[in-house]
Amino acid sequence: SAYFPLESRFLLNKGRAAGIKPGMPVVAVEGLVGVIQNANDSSSYVLLVSSPQLRIGAVVQRDASPAGLIRGENSSKMVLEISETNANIQAGDAVLTSGHSELIPGGIPIGIVAEKVPFPEFGTVRCMVFPNFQPGDIREVVVLR
């Protein structure tokens, strides 16, 4: 596989011949790596969870934590936006997939909350999230079907 940092994606050496299709989640030991962006017969591109092009439903691992959308800013930082200003979120909390997707199951680790910034005038909270992995460190992944 090859990593393309400027495109926030990497090339996987498996493709349609192995049953891989766009939209399938890609995980590693650390958690969600990204989703299949496109595939040909023998390879596919994985768009990283930290890509600004990708939006994924996510929750903070706390009792009754509301779901929000997480998007990447760069390979080392993501933003989780939640439409509830009173959300009980703290730095160090784990961020997981929400399960509000047809293709991505809930409970897959994504990252860790670094900072919570409320925006009461907009009725939202933004959390800066560090991903659970550095893209260059990923060696093996599993594509979930």
Side-chain angles (χ1 to χ4, degrees):
S1 66
Y3 170 51
F4 303 96
L6 297 177
E7 299 171 14
S8 295
R9 66 184 188 160
F10 69 89
L11 181 66
L12 191 60
N13 63 356
K14 298 287 181 189
R16 287 191 306 249
I20 293 176
K21 299 175 188 168
M24 290 179 157
V26 179
V27 297
V29 171
E30 297 84 357
L32 185 68
V33 173
V35 298
I36 299 294
Q37 183 179 31
N38 54 44
N40 62 34
D41 285 342
S42 60
S43 64
S44 53
Y45 280 102
V46 177
L47 191 59
L48 296 174
V49 69
S50 57
S51 169
Q53 298 176 36
L54 194 58
R55 306 270 189 285
I56 295 174
V59 295
V60 175
Q61 190 175 16
R62 280 192 173 265
D63 292 338
S65 174
L69 284 177
I70 195 163
R71 65 175 166 75
E73 289 208 337
N74 55 50
S75 65
S76 61
K77 185 170 74 172
M78 298 175 291
V79 175
L80 172 61
E81 193 160 323
I82 296 174
S83 296
E84 188 176 313
T85 55
N86 297 328
N88 182 20
I89 298 170
Q90 297 175 2
D93 286 348
V95 177
L96 312 170
T97 56
S98 67
H100 299 297
S101 164
E102 290 181 23
L103 296 174
I104 303 172
I108 301 172
I110 297 175
I112 301 293
V113 173
E115 178 184 15
K116 171 186 163 184
V117 181
F119 288 92
E121 63 274 17
F122 299 115
T124 63
V125 168
R126 275 196 192 142
C127 299
M128 298 303 142
V129 177
F130 294 138
N132 281 347
F133 67 92
Q134 291 301 311
D137 294 342
I138 299 295
R139 297 290 173 246
E140 290 187 15
V141 296
V142 174
V143 179
L144 302 181
R145 300 176 193 209

